[in-house]
Amino acid sequence: MICNNLTVNKEGHLCLGGQDTIELAKQYGTPLYLMDEDRIRERCRTYMTAMKEAFGETSLPLYASKAASFKQIYRIMKEEGMGIDVVSSGEICTAIAVGFPMERAYFHSNNKTDADIDYAMANGIGYFVVDNREELDAIEYFASKRSITQKILLRLTPGIDPHTYAAVNTGKVDSKFGSAIETGQADEMTAYALAQKHIKLSGYHCHIGSQVFDSDTFLRAAAIMIDFANQMREKYNFVIDELDLGGGYGVRYTENDPEIDIAENIREIAGAVKAQCKALDYPMPAIRLEPGRSIVADAGMTLYTVGTVKQIPGYKNYVSVDGGMTDNPRYALYRSSYTVLLANRANDETTPFKCSVVGRCCESGDILQENVTLPANTARGDILAVLTTGAYNYAMSSNYNRIPRPPVVMLKDGESYVAVKRETYEDVCKNDI
Ligand code: LLP
């Protein structure tokens, strides 16, 4: 299987973290998001240990919480000693609700409103990752009003194409995010930030893209960033304390995706960064990485109940489930691949049946996956599993067609518990007057 937390028991039922998914579907109903807490913690520890060993004690992984944002995730990150990347006041508010230490929070976004900036500062945000000059002005204004010195990183675009899908490709010069090194704007932003009275420029940030498998792109980005930092030292006598190399490590959605050895990759980057700093006689900065997907994706799985099975002779077959683009819009948006199987007959390879697995929304684009192979007798009542849904599924879910969101059930040490409740019809119309 694509992740070692997946097994099949003697009843032929798919298990996640050793727990029978069919029992869980009975207990909690479908559609259902499952998340293996032990796996999430294991991934946090992989990053934490590898970074401390390779980059030293000052380094810190920041969980990119846009991948999955709800209270329990922030509790886990707090317990694991992780930092977090947040992108909105909503994420900040969720983290604060569980007492996350906000000095370890880094606030991203290409368009923070004045209200966002004021709210983040009022709640002691550690760092703003500043995207543009207007934002610098607003931070200076609010920091001076509070008589504080606000730490920031500048988000830069190193001009690298990581060859992932367009929607998540952010390291190129032509990007809505950050200031480009190539155009001289990164230099201008550095000078401007250094001139502010209530801002401390702690360093630089870049994020080249997401679902990236090519380790070379991370190495090139790091080299460009350090080279730029060195130029800024020569020009402004300014030395960075921190270098944040963003997130982006790819995960296995299918057997075709390679498995990345995160610890090995981190060692490789550390080797290159240390060598470059030594060669330039540049003080080694504290390193940050911002993994999102690779922390939570393969901890997750979504269970559905099969409804209509439709065969259109000469065309194709459709298997409809009781969820869809409302709980997982990623195929509709990016044509993302997923591994799909029947959880109640995980070993059933009798007469394979090719089909599109589709949702229940009133929209033809509501497809979870095409060209799926299921057993030929797949029928109403079967439980279907979509694997690797821990990242950007619950986070991107919606109430389209007024469909309530599924609950998030966490699995830990052989037990399960609800981390996010199933939405009710009252929830769906609670803001309507
Ligand atoms: N840091 C920054 C500044 C980011 O923009 C992102 C992702 C990350 C870190 C985390 O990247 P990760 O490790 O998760 O690849 N909705 C899309 C993904 C959007 C990613 C946006 N930024 C999807 O479902 O594939």
Side-chain angles (χ1 to χ4, degrees):
M1 291 256 195
I2 51 175
C3 182
N4 62 12
N5 60 355
L6 298 166
T7 47
V8 178
N9 67 14
K10 58 182 189 314
E11 284 83 33
H13 295 175
L14 180 65
C15 297
L16 178 65
Q19 298 192 45
D20 186 327
T21 59
I22 302 308
E23 291 304 317
L24 292 162
K26 266 192 210 136
Q27 187 179 347
Y28 296 102
T30 62
L32 174 64
Y33 293 117
L34 295 177
M35 287 194 97
D36 175 0
E37 181 178 333
D38 296 321
R39 175 70 179 165
I40 297 172
R41 289 184 186 271
E42 182 189 319
R43 298 296 274 180
C44 291
R45 288 169 199 177
T46 297
Y47 272 99
M48 192 67 95
T49 310
M51 285 186 73
K52 301 274 178 208
E53 278 174 16
F55 289 114
E57 281 304 312
T58 57
S59 66
L60 187 69
L62 316 175
Y63 165 61
S65 64
K66 72 208 79 175
S69 177
F70 48 89
K71 288 181 186 173
Q72 183 61 0
I73 282 282
Y74 294 105
R75 287 190 195 101
I76 294 171
M77 296 306 145
K78 181 177 160 187
E79 284 170 20
E80 293 297 326
M82 300 275 289
I84 51 170
D85 141 0
V86 289
V87 293
S88 71
S89 295
E91 288 185 357
I92 292 173
C93 143
T94 315
I96 291 168
V98 299
F100 190 88
M102 293 310 281
E103 67 275 9
R104 296 208 305 263
Y106 290 64
F107 189 8
H108 281 269
S109 164
N110 63 312
N111 189 17
K112 302 169 186 78
T113 64
D114 286 354
D116 287 331
I117 292 169
D118 198 28
Y119 179 72
M121 251 181 223
N123 286 290
I125 194 93
Y127 297 77
F128 285 85
V129 184
V130 175
D131 187 274
N132 53 68
R133 192 169 168 141
E134 291 97 316
E135 186 186 334
L136 266 182
D137 287 338
I139 293 171
E140 172 61 26
Y141 170 77
F142 283 107
S144 92
K145 248 176 71 171
R146 288 178 188 279
S147 304
I148 59 164
T149 302
Q150 178 63 53
K151 283 191 279 188
I152 67 156
L153 303 181
L154 287 179
R155 178 165 182 166
L156 309 182
T157 40
I160 280 183
D161 184 349
H163 302 294
T164 181
Y165 43 103
V168 295
N169 191 335
T170 51
K172 294 188 300 183
V173 174
D174 181 359
S175 168
K176 79 166 181 171
F177 297 105
S179 307
I181 292 177
E182 192 182 304
T183 59
Q185 285 160 312
D187 181 337
E188 284 165 24
M189 284 285 284
T190 301
Y192 196 65
L194 290 172
Q196 305 305 313
K197 278 208 186 73
H198 299 89
I199 286 178
K200 170 164 169 48
L201 178 56
S202 298
Y204 297 124
H205 165 280
C206 69
H207 171 75
I208 50 176
S210 199
Q211 187 62 358
V212 178
F213 288 101
D214 177 12
S215 67
D216 195 47
T217 46
F218 291 105
L219 289 172
R220 281 193 294 138
I224 291 169
M225 295 296 283
I226 292 167
D227 188 54
F228 176 74
N230 189 46
Q231 286 173 34
M232 295 302 99
R233 174 175 66 171
E234 279 161 17
K235 198 160 174 187
Y236 302 113
N237 197 24
F238 155 68
V239 174
I240 59 170
D241 299 327
E242 291 193 20
L243 177 62
D244 183 339
L245 296 170
Y249 281 120
V251 302
R252 302 190 75 202
Y253 286 103
T254 70
E255 299 282 352
N256 297 330
D257 295 320
E259 180 154 8
I260 297 184
D261 183 340
I262 300 285
E264 179 53 33
N265 261 267
I266 288 174
R267 277 193 289 275
E268 209 185 321
I269 296 174
V273 167
K274 281 180 179 165
Q276 191 180 1
C277 285
K278 195 159 173 234
L280 295 169
D281 193 24
Y282 197 94
M284 180 69 190
I287 301 292
R288 308 281 175 259
L289 294 178
E290 295 170 343
R293 193 188 310 268
S294 55
I295 298 281
V296 287
D298 61 21
M301 173 192 294
T302 311
L303 297 177
Y304 303 95
T305 302
V306 171
T308 313
V309 178
K310 189 174 287 183
Q311 306 192 26
I312 313 177
Y315 291 85
K316 64 174 161 178
N317 306 315
Y318 287 93
V319 169
S320 301
V321 295
D322 56 353
M325 65 189 291
T326 44
D327 59 75
N328 184 358
R330 296 190 68 259
Y331 188 82
L333 279 172
Y334 323 119
R335 292 281 172 274
S336 304
S337 299
Y338 280 102
T339 301
V340 179
L341 68 161
L342 282 194
N344 54 328
R345 289 186 278 146
N347 286 331
D348 190 341
E349 285 171 6
T350 48
T351 10
F353 173 68
K354 262 252 163 86
C355 60
S356 288
V357 174
V358 298
R360 57 181 295 198
C361 290
C362 205
E363 171 145 345
S364 302
D366 176 19
I367 299 170
L368 285 171
Q369 200 63 199
E370 291 179 290
N371 294 316
V372 175
T373 305
L374 296 176
N377 53 357
T378 297
R380 196 175 185 91
D382 276 325
I383 301 295
L384 182 136
V386 177
L387 309 184
T388 329
T389 58
Y392 304 111
N393 275 228
Y394 172 72
M396 294 174 79
S397 62
S398 76
N399 287 129
Y400 183 45
N401 289 182
R402 291 246 136 167
I403 292 173
R405 286 180 179 79
V408 180
V409 166
M410 288 267 186
L411 310 180
K412 174 145 180 58
D413 298 333
E415 307 274 322
S416 63
Y417 66 92
V418 176
V420 181
K421 287 192 284 189
R422 184 182 294 285
E423 281 182 347
T424 61
Y425 294 117
E426 291 75 60
D427 292 332
V428 165
C429 52
K430 70 171 184 286
N431 294 325
D432 299 3
I433 307 295

